[in-house]
Amino acid sequence: MWLFNSSIGRKVVMSVTGVALILFLTFHASMNVVAIFSKAGYNMICEFLGSNWYAVVATMGLAALVAIHIIYAFWLTIQNLKARGDNRYAVTTRPGEVSLASQNMLVLGIIVILGLLLHLFNFWYNMMFAELAGMETMYAPTDGYNYIVETFNNPVYVVLYIVWLAAIWFHLSHGFWSAMQTLGINGKIWFKRWKCIGIIYVTIIMAMFALVCVMFACGWQAPDAMADCCGGAAEACEKAAHACGGC
C-alpha cells in the first residue's frame, strides 16, 4: 500500500495525523482557558470527559494518532538519513530557505514526547486513569482545577511546561505549513500565506496554554474558586487572602 511503501504516502500519514493533533490541541487549549474564569466550569468539563465510555474511546483514538505520528516521524527521519548517506556530514551551514525548526524536528519531537509523558503523569494518571482504576488520589479525579493549581505551584513544573510549550511551538510552526504543502493545499501564492497563518494560529494556541501556566504559577484563582475559599465572601477574600489559607 502506497501509504506504507512510498515516501509521499508516509508524509501524507504524518500530515493527516498532525492536523488532527493540532485540532485536538485547539480544543484542549480552549478547555484549559476556562479554568481561568471558572473552577466549576472547568471541573464540569473534566467530569464530562472523565472515564465515560465516549471519553475513553476518544482517548484511545488520540493515543493511536500520537503513536502513528511518532512512528512515522522516526521512520521518515531514518529514511532521510539513509538516503543522504555520508552526505549528511558535508553540510555545516544552514541554507537560508531552511528553518531552524525543520532541521531539528527530531530533537523537538523528543522534547515534545518527554513533555507529553510529564503531562500524562500530572493530569491523565491522576484523573481518568485514577477513576478507571479506582485509585485514591489527592483530589477527586474530576477536580481538574485543583490539579492545575497543585501542578503550577511547583516552579520546576512551570519551567518544564514552558520549555515543552516552546518546543511544541517550534514543532508546529514548521509542521502546520509542511502538512498543507504535503496535502497539496498550497501554491505559489498560498505557500507563504500558509506559513503566516500557521505561525499565527500555533502562537495563539500555545499562548493560551502558557497563559494558564503562568497565571496559576503567579497564584491566580478563578472568581468562584476564590468565593469557595472564603465561604462566599469573594471581596473580603481579595483583601485578606492570607487569612483564608492563601486564597
Side-chain angles (χ1 to χ4, degrees):
M1 188 176 181
W2 70 279
L3 289 176
F4 301 96
N5 299 328
S6 70
S7 176
I8 295 298
R10 294 172 196 138
K11 289 181 179 179
V12 168
V13 173
M14 278 281 294
S15 299
V16 171
T17 55
V19 170
L21 292 174
I22 289 174
L23 292 175
F24 167 74
L25 287 175
T26 303
F27 162 75
H28 197 357
S30 302
M31 166 184 158
N32 281 13
V33 169
V34 173
I36 296 175
F37 305 100
S38 173
K39 173 182 178 179
Y42 182 75
N43 283 346
M44 182 176 68
I45 297 173
C46 291
E47 184 174 2
F48 177 74
L49 299 174
S51 60
N52 303 295
W53 69 267
Y54 48 82
V56 174
V57 170
T59 300
M60 292 172 63
L62 179 61
L65 284 174
V66 172
I68 293 171
H69 193 76
I70 292 173
I71 291 170
Y72 271 74
F74 279 100
W75 193 354
L76 283 169
T77 299
I78 293 171
Q79 174 189 334
N80 291 337
L81 290 174
K82 286 183 177 180
R84 290 175 63 185
D86 294 336
N87 292 331
R88 66 180 180 271
Y89 302 109
V91 178
T92 56
T93 59
R94 179 169 59 91
E97 296 298 320
V98 179
S99 68
L100 182 63
S102 65
Q103 281 200 319
N104 295 280
M105 288 296 278
L106 181 61
V107 175
L108 291 172
I110 292 173
I111 295 174
V112 170
I113 293 172
L114 293 175
L116 176 62
L117 293 175
L118 175 66
H119 187 62
L120 290 174
F121 171 75
N122 284 331
F123 293 96
W124 180 80
Y125 176 78
N126 288 307
M127 297 173 70
M128 180 182 284
F129 181 80
E131 190 172 356
L132 288 170
M135 294 168 47
E136 288 189 12
T137 53
M138 183 179 299
Y139 304 107
T142 56
D143 190 1
Y145 181 87
N146 275 322
Y147 281 111
I148 288 180
V149 174
E150 183 72 23
T151 298
F152 297 126
N153 271 341
N154 187 330
V156 174
Y157 283 148
V158 174
V159 172
L160 291 176
Y161 269 85
I162 293 297
V163 171
W164 181 43
L165 294 175
I168 296 176
W169 184 90
F170 278 108
H171 190 79
L172 295 185
S173 64
H174 168 78
F176 185 95
W177 66 261
S178 180
M180 297 300 105
Q181 184 180 40
T182 298
L183 296 174
I185 313 175
N186 71 325
K188 290 183 177 180
I189 296 177
W190 274 96
F191 181 72
K192 291 185 178 180
R193 290 180 180 177
W194 278 123
K195 278 191 172 184
C196 182
I197 292 171
I199 289 174
I200 293 173
Y201 188 73
V202 169
T203 299
I204 291 173
I205 295 175
M206 293 301 104
M208 292 167 71
F209 281 116
L211 180 65
V212 174
C213 177
V214 172
M215 287 189 68
F216 280 92
C218 292
W220 172 261
Q221 290 281 326
D224 52 352
M226 189 178 294
D228 290 343
C229 179
C230 298
E235 185 175 348
C237 184
E238 290 180 355
K239 295 179 181 179
H242 62 280
C244 54
C247 174

